[in-house]
Amino acid sequence: MSVQIKLIAGSILLTGMIGLAGCSSNNEAGNSESQATAPTETAVTATSEPEVSPSSTPAATPPETAPETAPAATSSPTEPDKDSTSSNSQNSDKQLKELLELAKNGKVPGVKYAAHTGLIDEVEADWGKPDQQESAGKGIYATYTDKHVVFGFNKGSLIFDVRSSDSALQKLTLKQIEATLGKPDDTKVNGGDKIYTYQANDQYQLKFIIPSSTGTVDHISVFSEQDSFNNMAG
C-alpha cells in the first residue's frame, strides 16, 4: 500500500508540475503575441502622418490669392494718370494762348512770314518753289508739304492766309480750345469739316479746322480778311 501511495503522490506531483509549466508557457506565448501585434499598431500610426500631409497642402494655396491682390497694386498708376491729365490740360492751355498771341501778329508757330505783311516772293526766295500751287476761294494757295505750311496770297503777292498742319496742333480738341479761348465767335461747316473762328484782333482771325471724322484739329489758319480781297486784281 505504501508503495502505491507513493506512486500516486508522485504522479500527482508530476502532473502539477507539468500544469505549472504549461501555464508558464501559455503566459509567455501570450506576451509574445501581444508584443508581436504592437509593431502593427505603431506601423498604422506611422502611416497616418503621410495621409495628413496631402490634406495640409491646401494651406499652401495663398500664392493663388496673390493674383487677386495684384490688381489692387495696379490701381496706383491711376494717380499719375490724374497728374498726366492735369499736365496735358496745362500744356494745351499754354499752347492755345501762344497760338492766339501769334495770331495777333498774323503768324503761326515756327513760321516767320505773316499774313498782311509777308509776300509770297519772300517765301519762295527762302523756301524755294512750293510743292503745289492752285487757285482756291479768294486767292492762290501755295503748299509746302515738308514744312506743313500753306500760304494763301492775292495777285499782288501779299499773303492773307497762313495755315499750319503741324503734328503738335493735331492733338487739340474743341473741348480744350473752348476751355482756354471760350466759345468761338463763328462756326461754319465745310463738307465734313467744322471751322471754329476766333477774332484775334481787328486785323486777324484765328481758325481751327476740325474734321468730324477725327474730332481733333487738322490745321489752323491765321487769316487777314481785308487782304483776301485783291485790290490789284484786274
Side-chain angles (χ1 to χ4, degrees):
M1 280 296 286
S2 60
V3 174
Q4 292 178 346
I5 292 171
K6 289 180 179 180
L7 290 173
I8 293 170
S11 63
I12 291 171
L13 180 60
L14 179 61
T15 301
M17 291 176 66
I18 292 171
L20 289 173
C23 291
S24 175
S25 173
N26 289 336
N27 288 336
E28 290 178 356
N31 290 335
S32 64
E33 288 177 2
S34 63
Q35 291 175 357
T37 57
T40 59
E41 293 177 0
T42 57
V44 171
T45 55
T47 56
S48 64
E49 292 183 1
E51 292 176 2
V52 174
S53 59
S55 64
S56 65
T57 53
T61 56
E64 295 179 4
T65 63
E68 295 180 4
T69 58
T74 59
S75 62
S76 58
T78 56
E79 293 188 4
D81 286 343
K82 291 179 182 179
D83 294 338
S84 177
T85 301
S86 176
S87 177
N88 289 338
S89 177
Q90 291 175 356
N91 290 340
S92 65
D93 182 68
K94 180 181 179 181
Q95 182 183 18
L96 286 162
K97 287 178 179 178
E98 290 176 351
L99 289 177
L100 184 61
E101 288 303 310
L102 285 170
K104 291 177 181 179
N105 294 302
K107 295 182 177 181
V108 299
V111 179
K112 64 181 180 180
Y113 304 104
H116 182 61
T117 59
L119 298 173
I120 193 63
D121 298 336
E122 296 172 334
V123 177
E124 291 185 2
D126 188 10
W127 290 2
K129 292 291 183 180
D131 299 302
Q132 182 178 346
Q133 184 169 299
E134 59 185 347
S135 297
K138 299 175 181 179
I140 305 167
Y141 282 81
T143 301
Y144 289 86
T145 306
D146 291 342
K147 296 184 179 295
H148 307 287
V149 175
V150 177
F151 295 99
F153 59 96
N154 59 30
K155 290 187 177 180
S157 296
L158 183 66
I159 296 171
F160 64 83
D161 191 1
V162 184
R163 301 180 181 182
S164 174
S165 57
D166 187 86
S167 59
L169 302 171
Q170 295 179 335
K171 299 177 183 178
L172 294 170
T173 65
L174 178 61
K175 182 178 180 181
Q176 292 172 323
I177 294 167
E178 290 185 342
T180 300
L181 303 181
K183 294 292 183 181
D185 298 304
D186 184 55
T187 301
K188 292 181 179 178
V189 177
N190 182 21
D193 298 339
K194 287 187 177 181
I195 303 172
Y196 301 94
T197 301
Y198 291 84
Q199 196 69 41
N201 53 28
D202 293 340
Q203 183 69 52
Y204 301 108
Q205 296 173 345
L206 173 60
K207 300 182 180 184
F208 296 90
I209 293 78
I210 302 180
S212 300
S213 58
T214 64
T216 57
V217 170
D218 178 76
H219 64 276
I220 65 170
S221 167
V222 175
F223 185 72
S224 173
E225 187 173 17
Q226 71 180 47
D227 296 315
S228 65
F229 300 102
N230 187 8
N231 294 327
M232 297 180 64

